[in-house]
Amino acid sequence: MAGPLRLNSWSDERWVDVFPFELVRLTDFENEVRIVVESSMDDAFWEAKIEITSLFVKGGTLLVLSRPKLEDWAQALEALSLGRDVTWMQMDRGPTLRVQLEGERDCPEVVVEDESISMVTVRIPIALEEGWIADHQARIRRFMDTL
């Protein structure tokens, strides 16, 4: 059986591997939520992994991303830049990710719900650094530009 497909991109006059690609990294270096795109399944779908790490809990699950989901993430980032909370991938055969800018602990909170498989919900307070939204907007543009 062949391994996962790899997407390559032309950069600085040489081919470079795009995978793994860290699409989301919400961190304050104690608590962290990451989404890493691992490989291309075909031209329309990408296998990714969501990972949650804190001093209290560590876990993760696989998910499948598509162009519409990626475009939804770009729109969610725009809403966040306007000061609105967002829900991404709501009830779509995999985890749902919510970002609440004003959490219960005076900092943003990321809520990951895996209703379809494990039935587990994790709420992670993350004191995000200034500029995190612009960083993530650049990440999604960079990934979409390779497609």
Side-chain angles (χ1 to χ4, degrees), residues 42 54 75 80 85 116 125 136 145:
D42 58 34
S54 77
Q75 290 174 358
L80 286 165
D85 295 345
S116 63
H136 282 80
D145 286 348

Side-chain angles (χ1 to χ4, degrees), residues 23-74:
L23 183 67
V24 175
R25 184 169 188 235
L26 304 170
T27 187
D28 61 11
F29 303 104
E30 287 184 9
N31 297 326
E32 182 172 78
V33 175
R34 295 176 65 223
I35 296 177
V36 178
V37 184
E38 296 289 330
S39 64
S40 174
M41 298 170 73
D42 58 34
D43 290 342
F45 298 97
W46 297 269
E47 185 176 73
K49 192 169 38 171
I50 186 166
E51 300 171 333
I52 301 164
T53 306
S54 77
L55 297 174
F56 180 70
V57 66
K58 181 176 182 167
T61 191
L62 295 176
L63 63 120
V64 175
L65 296 174
S66 61
R67 181 175 287 276
K69 283 184 184 178
L70 295 168
E71 290 167 351
D72 287 348
W73 178 236

Side-chain angles (χ1 to χ4, degrees), residues 52 57 95-96 111-122:
I52 301 164
V57 66
T96 297
V111 179
V112 179
E113 294 181 85
D114 185 26
E115 307 95 345
S116 63
I117 299 174
S118 69
M119 304 298 284
V120 171
T121 299
V122 179

Side-chain angles (χ1 to χ4, degrees), residues 92-104:
D92 187 27
R93 286 197 257 161
T96 297
L97 185 127
R98 288 182 177 73
V99 179
Q100 299 170 332
L101 295 172
E102 297 290 326
E104 295 175 8

Side-chain angles (χ1 to χ4, degrees), residues 6-19 21 141-147:
R6 296 190 65 83
L7 179 67
N8 292 311
S9 174
W10 189 258
S11 174
D12 298 326
E13 299 184 10
R14 66 186 187 287
W15 284 96
V16 295
D17 287 328
V18 172
F19 298 120
F21 186 91
R141 275 193 308 272
R142 194 166 43 248
F143 186 76
M144 297 286 283
D145 286 348
T146 66
L147 305 181

